Amino acid sequence: MTGLAIAQWPQWLRSLIVGLVTVAVICVGWLAYRYFAKPVFLTVAAGSADGETLALISAISARLTASKSHVRLKISDSGSSAKAAELLAAGKADLAVVRGDTGGLADARSVLLLTHGVVLIVAPSAVNADGLGDLRDTTIGVIGGPINHPVVGALKQVYQFDRAKVRFQDVAIADGSAALSSGRVQALLAVAPLTEKYLSKIREFFQKPGVKRSSSKLIEIEFAGAVANVAQYYESYDIPKGTLRGAPPIPSDDLTSLRTSFFLVANKSVDADAITDLTQSLVDVRRDLLSQYPILAQAAAPSTDADALIPIHPGAATYYNGDQQSFLDKYDDKLYYASLLLGSLISIIVAAWRFARSGTGPQSMLEPLYEMGNEIKNARSESELEDIEKRIDGILKSEITRNARADAESAEMAALGLAAHRLQYLMSHRRTRIRSAPTAED
């Protein structure tokens, strides 16, 4: 298609075509931006009997959204750590908040150690026993029920509870005080972080009306080291003096017990780059939420050892080891292709602009001059030749003026001169034939 043919297109048609091309370019750019810049959403399963885990994860999710983090969280209320682990294993969740003694974590990889849960065995001060091995003919209420069955199972591997007639009975959190006051249980076993929020709940079991003995004591797990050897998801831990109460201090001295860890884990199939970005965002969010959720003071990097209870996710290890790639190293390929795409888009826009303005601005009239040769050959009278000659003069005059202003190249001016000489020759030849035509008829 020649430039002259395009120049003859109506202006509205050229504008319409350019508009469609522009819209297409904008749509392609927008889709590319959405593809590379849109946030990544990961589903996290979380839940606990007291609802605190769900509240914490919800606050973290809201903070990630407010800070426009690249990785966002969608929360699934699992109700318990065990259910969260099931959802993770089934592929229905990308992340989960789990306790270290929860089963079914073969595909789990740790991202963040959230806190530690300490095994607290609390009894009225009148109970004549300081250690778990001293208890006789006693029923221990297990707060939380199934979630703490692994603790009971680990203790039974070391302690001879059957001989001592020590029994365990599940007790709901809301029924702890009633179970003590009724004599249904003589002690309570709970696993909780050592924060004021959780310790105050444990104190309430002995402070509510109806409880016969308001003072309490902590029972020591004197063989905690042996329990940790047979159940590696626990470790021996010394509860600091005065943890449960400061004056008089309870316990009166450091007291041996067990603890396990709470982790935010990810399925091992989750993209490593997404987990790296998430880990960095979580560390930043931890600082922002620390005053509102003091439990985050215990948050830390999980173990990177090969024999860790839950192996660390490669993406999280990249962040903790400081092996994150720089922006250019990470996106060099994308930047290269983006530059190629940008160059192509600019070329398309320039071409579209020229196309839209074709025929509207100054252009060389060599082709129209050559077309006039056919008009001269077909002229039948001198008046027609005079009209053509006037048009030629007008074209040459305007073209010489335009090229003079634009400092045109000599080659184009020479072409104009040749075209003019050629048309002058054709004009003279045609006049001669027209003038001789009547004589020939005579």
Side-chain angles (χ1 to χ4, degrees):
M1 183 179 297
T2 65
L4 181 61
I6 293 176
Q8 293 176 350
W9 289 6
Q11 182 68 33
W12 68 266
L13 179 59
R14 292 197 297 271
S15 299
L16 176 61
I17 294 175
V18 171
L20 293 175
V21 171
T22 302
V23 170
V25 168
I26 292 174
C27 289
V28 170
W30 181 79
L31 290 174
Y33 170 79
R34 290 282 295 173
Y35 177 79
F36 290 110
K38 68 179 180 180
V40 176
F41 286 91
L42 299 177
T43 301
V44 53
S48 59
D50 58 3
E52 294 296 328
T53 301
L54 191 64
L56 174 62
I57 295 301
S58 298
I60 292 175
S61 176
R63 190 65 185 176
L64 291 177
T65 301
S67 63
K68 300 187 185 305
S69 171
H70 179 62
V71 180
R72 314 281 178 86
L73 299 180
K74 293 191 296 184
I75 301 174
S76 174
D77 184 2
S78 61
S80 68
S81 173
K83 184 61 177 179
E86 290 178 9
L87 293 175
L88 186 77
K92 296 180 180 179
D94 305 300
L95 305 163
V97 177
V98 298
R99 235 169 70 170
D101 56 358
T102 302
L105 299 178
D107 293 332
R109 298 294 180 266
S110 61
V111 176
L112 183 68
L113 191 158
L114 288 171
T115 188
H116 297 285
V118 178
V119 179
L120 301 173
I121 301 177
V122 193
S125 57
V127 172
N128 188 23
D130 293 324
L132 188 57
D134 298 331
L135 293 176
R136 296 290 183 274
D137 194 18
T138 301
T139 300
I140 301 175
V142 181
I143 299 294
I147 189 64
N148 287 324
H149 286 176
V151 179
V152 176
L155 293 174
K156 286 181 176 179
Q157 294 185 62
V158 175
Y159 290 91
Q160 297 179 348
F161 291 127
D162 291 340
R163 180 179 299 178
K165 296 182 179 180
V166 174
R167 299 165 295 278
F168 293 88
Q169 184 179 108
D170 291 347
V171 175
I173 295 177
D175 296 336
S177 296
L180 282 172
S181 62
S182 65
R184 186 157 51 96
V185 300
Q186 289 76 52
L188 294 174
L189 182 151
V191 179
L194 296 184
T195 63
E196 183 57 30
K197 188 170 187 176
Y198 284 94
L199 292 174
S200 63
K201 290 182 179 180
I202 292 174
R203 296 188 197 105
E204 288 176 0
F205 294 142
F206 298 87
Q207 295 172 353
K208 289 185 178 181
V211 179
K212 295 179 180 179
R213 299 175 178 88
S214 60
S215 58
S216 59
K217 64 188 297 184
L218 287 174
I219 303 298
E220 183 176 27
I221 304 177
E222 62 268 53
F223 300 133
V227 176
N229 287 333
V230 299
Q232 295 183 358
Y233 32 79
Y234 299 112
E235 61 179 341
S236 179
Y237 176 74
D238 289 337
I239 301 174
K241 174 183 176 180
T243 294
L244 190 60
R245 191 174 68 182
I250 300 176
S252 58
D253 200 355
D254 290 353
L255 182 140
T256 303
S257 185
L258 293 167
R259 75 174 184 180
T260 187
S261 300
F262 289 82
F263 296 93
L264 174 66
V265 298
N267 192 292
K268 63 182 181 181
S269 63
V270 178
D271 180 67
D273 287 340
I275 295 299
T276 300
D277 293 341
L278 174 64
T279 305
Q280 181 174 2
S281 298
L282 289 174
V283 172
D284 295 337
V285 166
R286 172 186 173 274
R287 293 192 292 266
D288 298 335
L289 296 178
L290 192 56
S291 60
Q292 184 179 357
Y293 292 91
I295 193 173
L296 289 175
Q298 302 179 19
S303 174
T304 58
D305 294 342
D307 60 348
L309 176 63
I310 303 177
I312 192 168
H313 195 284
T318 297
Y319 174 76
Y320 293 123
N321 294 334
D323 296 332
Q324 287 176 279
Q325 293 179 315
S326 67
F327 179 83
L328 291 178
D329 291 337
K330 189 174 182 180
Y331 296 105
D332 55 347
D333 291 340
K334 294 179 180 178
L335 290 173
Y336 171 73
Y337 288 113
S339 64
L340 291 182
L341 177 61
L342 180 60
S344 300
L345 292 178
I346 292 175
S347 299
I348 292 173
I349 292 173
V350 171
W353 175 257
R354 290 177 177 174
F355 173 76
R357 292 184 59 83
S358 61
T360 62
Q363 56 180 324
S364 175
M365 297 301 293
L366 286 174
E367 189 169 350
L369 285 177
Y370 287 128
E371 293 292 335
M372 286 187 178
N374 293 327
E375 294 187 36
I376 294 172
K377 292 177 182 180
N378 296 324
R380 297 186 177 277
S381 65
E382 289 193 37
S383 61
E384 290 184 26
L385 291 175
E386 290 176 359
D387 291 338
I388 295 173
E389 193 170 17
K390 289 178 181 179
R391 288 162 54 197
I392 293 172
D393 291 340
I395 291 173
L396 291 175
K397 183 178 179 180
S398 62
E399 190 69 10
I400 291 171
T401 301
R402 182 181 71 84
N403 284 296
R405 292 176 180 173
D407 192 19
E409 296 181 0
S410 58
E412 187 171 357
M413 296 299 295
L416 283 171
L418 289 174
H421 283 297
R422 171 63 176 168
L423 292 175
Q424 184 63 37
Y425 169 77
L426 291 175
M427 192 77 68
S428 299
H429 180 71
R430 188 58 182 170
R431 277 198 177 96
T432 302
R433 295 197 61 179
I434 290 174
R435 290 172 180 174
S436 64
T439 306
E441 290 176 0
D442 292 341

